Structures are given as C-alpha cells and as structure tokens.
Amino acid sequence: MVTDTTPTGSPGPRGSTGRGGATLSGTPVVPGLAYAPALVVRQEVAAEAVARLEAQGFPDADAALAAYDQASQAVAEGFEARAGAASGAATEVLTASAGLARDRGLRGAVRKHLRAGTGITDALHSAVEQFVGVFEQMGGLMAERATDLRDIERRTLARLAGEPEPGVPTPDQPSVLVAEDLAPADTAGLDPNLVVALVTERGGPTSHTAIIARQLGIPCVVGVAGALATVPGTPLLVDGATGRIDTTADPDRAREQVAADLAARAATAGWTGPGATADGARVKVLANVADGDSARSAAGAPVEGVGLFRTELCFLNRAEEPSVEEQAEIYAEVLSAFGGERHVVVRTLDAGSDKPVAFATHPGEENPALGVRGLRLAFDNPGLLDRQLDAIALAAERTGTPTWVMAPMVATVGEAADFAERVHGRGLTAGVMVEIPSAALLAHRMLEVVDFLSLGTNDLTQYAMAADRMASDLAHLTDPWQPAVLQLIAITAHAGRDAGKPVGVCGEAAADPALAAALVGMGVTSLSMAAAAVRPVGAFLGSVSSGQCEEAAEAALAAADPRCAREAVREVLGGGADRIG
Ligand code: PEP
Ligand code: MG
C-alpha cells in the first residue's frame, strides 16, 4: 500500500510538472507500483555518425537515392521480421510501419529534395516533416502516425550511417522504460516481464503509450517533464496511481511496497463478478471491444456484456463501404461471443477526426474534431447509417444476442430522437453517447427519447475543456478528473436516476478504479472498459460500500482541481485503489 507518499495527482499547467527534488511527477495513467532501474531510451542517432555521413556525402542524387532505397528497405524488413515474431495488434502495427518505411510518396519527396541538391540527411528530414505536417493537421490517431514517421526517419538515418537502429533495446533485467514518447512500433513488442513500468516525457492519458500500458497491465505515467534527464540505471519507484516517480526511494522499503502492491493486484485476478459494491449495490461491469477477436477474448472475462463495440475500427483500412451482408457477418462475430443474459452495445460508425474511414469521412476539414464525424455523417448520407442499422439488426436476429445500439457525437435532442426512431423501427434498444457537453446538459430530455445513455468521457473531456485529447502539452486539461467534466457526468447520471434508465460510462475514466467508484456514487449504472481493467475495477468496487462511493462522488465534485479530487477520493476510499490496477 502506498501510504508514505504524498499524492501529486495530475500536473498543473505546463511547466509545473517535473522535478521536485528527488521526485518527478506527471499524469498517472495506469495504477500500480514498480521499482526497477531506469532504461532510458535514446531515440537519436549518434551525432558523430550523422556528421560522418554528411561529410562523406554521395557522388550524385541518384547514388544518394539508391542508398536511401537500401536503407529504407532494411528498415521495412526489420519491422516485418518483428511483425512475424509478434501477434495480434502488434503484428498489425509493425506491418503498417513497414509499409510506411517503403511509402512511395515519402520516397518521392526524398528524391525531390535530393534532386534539388539537398544533402541526404536534410532531404530525409524535410520529406518526413512534410508528411508529419499532413498527419498532425489531421489530428487524433493520425497524429500518432507522426511519431511513427519520426521513428522511421531515425532508423533510416542510422542505416545510412552504418549504425544500429535506435529504439527500445531489449532489457536484460526488469526495467522502467523512460522515453520521450513511444512509437507504436516500439510499444507493440514490449514484454511486461522485462518492462515493468513506462514513463514518458510526452503523451497524455489517451496517447498510444497509455493505451498499450493499460493492455500490458503495467504502471504508466506520462507527461513527466525532465524524465529524460534520469541517469540510466537509477532505480525508480514508479507510482502509476499518483503519477509520482521517486528517484531516491529506500530500496528495502520500495521492494516491500511493490510486493504489497503485487499481492493486492494478484488478489484482483480472482474476481469473478458480477459487479457490485461491498454492500451489494449492483453495477454492470462491461468490456470495450473492436472486433470478433477482442470480443471472444473479452467474453472470457467476468463481464455482463459489451458496453462499447467501436464498429469504425473494423473499417479503418477499407476504401469501399462493405455491403450490408458483409457488415452483418462482422457484427455477428462480436454478438455471437456474447448472448443469453449478456448484451452488446454496438456503436454506429464514429468515423472522422482521429478515426478517418475512407468511405465515410469528409476529407480536408479544417477542424475535423469539430466537423462532420460520428452521427453527423448521416446528415447528408442517411443511407450509410440505415445500411449499418440494417446490418446490425440482421446480426442481432441471427445470433439472438440482446443488442443495444448507440450513436456517437450526438449534440441535440432532435438528433437523438431521429436516431432512436430508426433503431426502434428495427426492433432494437436505442441510446446515444454523451460526448458533447450539450448532450450532458440536456440529458433529461435525451432520456425522454432514448432507452439509455453512455458517457464517452474521452471526448466529453476534450470538448468540455476545449483541449485536443491527443495533445501531450494539454494532458493536465484532458483529465476526466477535471471538475467541469465531473459536473457534466453528475448531471447525466442524475438524469438517468430520475428517468429510471441506464447511464453507463465507456470512456477511459471507467478503467480508473478510484474514479469508477466516484462515478458509481454519482449514479452511473454500468462501467465499460478494456478487458485488462475489468478485474481490478470490479475487485476494487467490491471492496467499497455504496455510501463510500457517494461520499467519493461528493468529494470529487467539491474539489478545486484534479489533484485535489484524486486526494479527496483517496481519503474517502482509504487508498485501496492505489493497490489495484
Ligand atoms: C469516448 O469518447 O470516451 C469514447 C468512448 O469514444 P472514443 O474513445 O472511441 O472516441
Ligand atoms: Mg468518443
């Protein structure tokens, strides 16, 4: 149990994170304690090697391009070899990186710069930055590709200079990985037995690093200013619940704390559900899934169903809209993994912004997060929504699984009513996501027209705080513990209680045990999360009373900022959430 630390919680405005004597602090993302030497990832190629490459040069642009081709081919092959040794999502990530290393557009840009007389290092850098600019402008998940591209630049440069590729080395002992940020290609192959915690200078609570850490179940703190200055090998005590990293912890004491934390975590592994507080107040614990594979794996967890099936993730690589029949087959794969008492909430396409889908998204929007995404795609293309609803209804009929359908990015009661009519017309249960503050403020009226609400706290936080959820510099704002976000959640949950209809949470907030307890205290009836978080959250809920949850909700709502809210809730709940994660 972490009783000897002063929780620091989420950082204040940019610059207030960072060194405080022997302690670093950042945004806590995945709870848990780890104590191990720092493995500091140097992502730059040695300056001397680059200088040597530049001094040596190439006879002409064609020779430089041939060297580029050879280097980028070697980088792509390296990714492919790792993809072959990996599995699941990791294989996909590494294969995508191989494709990016060989990208014809990138090669064309390099060639153009070389032919204009630019040296190889500058030509490569300019070409990469040109594409980074495009990806960053698209924002969201596409902005994550910028991290990939910069990783490819460094690897290609290393190959050109005859150096080993930089990146995450394989640790020879359990280590805390400290990096500026981690490229998806780096995180895809991590072994949680050797990388026991992640600490990054950049990245926010919904960054790629955070998502991978949650999947691996290892403590993670992001947005830690000054982390890269850590001397390699320094033993770090990482507290993923408070965001605090102690660089001078007493080794014996630290090991005791970690052992206690591990024991508490192991105890959660035996949680078998169903979700309830210690005094028996029921709360549905559900899983978030993306496809048939993740649904089958989640079906083995003690969940009462799926609270969020992100259908757009099935189509990120599709140029053409799949037929109704093909869609029905894809949805039926997920539905058939559940059934009986276990229902599935299918979300209609949330294409756009961070999840562009070629056949649905409006290209070239100035500000895609505020543009035509989610349900808005149906405004000028209602057929797209109708065909998807037909396919969901077919899948529901074929599998017999209780199927609820919800729309993302709903701003008005009129939109909710129109959506509900289409869903009810197909004999299914209809709901909408609460991701836009307007939907939270009008939750009671939304509930007059739909059967349930589901709080998408990732986007609700983004829109309430006007802070891009992928912007690492704004991690202190994109924090669901922000008082304004908690108020919007409370308004929505109260409306659900008044109407006697379910109000769930399916954003990342549901995976934080302490926050989950406070959400239950506000009146939330279900919590949906990555399967890896199910047991820790379920076990923690089972250890606190509904009275404590209500007190935690009051304390969080009364707090002035996220740090105070975390502290106040920890006080009410007795710090138990720190030991579970
Ligand atoms: C959310 O916004 O909280 C949510 C669950 O949707 P997504 O993360 O897919 O945008
Ligand atoms: Mg969302």
Side-chain angles (χ1 to χ4, degrees), residues 33-36 175-178 192 194-199 218-221 238:
L33 269 188
Y35 182 65
S175 305
V176 173
L177 205 63
V178 180
L194 288 175
V195 176
V196 296
L198 295 181
V199 173
I218 56 175
C220 176
V221 185
V238 180

Side-chain angles (χ1 to χ4, degrees), residues 308 310 312 347 350 354-355 373 433 435 455-460 469 506-508:
L308 170 64
R310 290 179 161 105
E312 66 283 355
R347 176 172 76 183
D350 186 24
D354 55 343
K355 289 168 289 196
R373 60 168 291 203
M433 292 190 73
E435 296 175 291
L455 284 143
T457 47
N458 306 335
D459 277 316
L460 186 61
R469 61 194 266 189
C506 65
E508 293 294 309

Side-chain angles (χ1 to χ4, degrees), residues 471-498:
S472 42
D473 293 346
L474 301 177
H476 62 289
L477 294 177
T478 53
D479 185 335
W481 287 84
Q482 279 287 352
V485 179
L486 296 176
Q487 291 292 345
L488 291 167
I489 295 171
I491 289 171
T492 311
H494 285 165
R497 270 190 178 163
D498 288 348

